[in-house]
Amino acid sequence: MAMRATTVVLLLFGLCIGSGSMALGAYLASGNNGWHSALWFSVVGLVAAPLSTTSWSSRRSKRRTVMAGIALVLGIAANMGLLLDISSESSQITLAWSQVPLAVAAWLVLWLSWQAAALLRLIMFEPHTTRRRLSRGHREDNH
């Protein structure tokens, strides 16, 4: 089965986002930076970011929804863990923030980007049949 060029480009883009997040997570977990949990959260992004970006290439509503939904569920579960990690008394993110604030900010931007892409894919675009059905019902009400 031949893959379309847009699917390949979006998959590579998702892999770049996931790999960048993983590299920053490894950097934040190493040395004097001290935020070891960043590496574990980055593993989720390594899997979910390609799913999130690839969902934009699918024209089939069910496949698109499943891919974006899986990415979003992984993101929500990891966000809950991230919030628990940040809210604990001995949170190591404050140490990482004081050591390398730009790396933490870049990691957070990458972390939120694939989740926003999955959420936008689910919210903003309804299936073509729903669009047609809604517009047809609207025209009948006006006549």
Side-chain angles (χ1 to χ4, degrees), residues 55-115:
S55 72
W56 283 86
S57 70
S58 178
R59 293 183 184 184
R60 294 184 180 161
S61 175
K62 190 174 260 186
R63 182 183 304 165
R64 169 184 69 209
T65 304
V66 167
M67 286 190 294
I70 290 171
L72 200 57
V73 166
L74 287 172
I76 289 170
N79 280 335
M80 290 171 60
L82 181 62
L83 288 174
L84 283 173
D85 184 48
I86 289 173
S87 64
S88 71
E89 280 185 34
S90 61
S91 178
Q92 299 165 342
I93 193 171
T94 55
L95 175 64
W97 183 261
S98 67
Q99 298 290 327
V100 282
L102 291 178
V104 174
W107 184 86
L108 286 172
V109 165
L110 288 175
W111 177 255
L112 293 175
S113 66
W114 61 264
Q115 293 177 33

Side-chain angles (χ1 to χ4, degrees), residues 39 44 86:
L39 190 59
V44 174
I86 289 173

Side-chain angles (χ1 to χ4, degrees), residues 10 12-22 24 41-42 44-46 48-56 68 71-72 75 79 82 104-122:
L10 288 171
L12 289 174
F13 184 64
L15 286 172
C16 287
I17 290 173
S19 299
S21 175
M22 189 70 176
L24 282 170
F41 295 122
S42 297
V44 174
L46 188 62
L51 273 175
S52 177
T53 56
T54 308
S55 72
W56 283 86
L72 200 57
N79 280 335
L82 181 62
V104 174
W107 184 86
L108 286 172
V109 165
L110 288 175
W111 177 255
L112 293 175
S113 66
W114 61 264
Q115 293 177 33
L119 185 62
L120 284 173
R121 186 60 169 159
L122 287 175

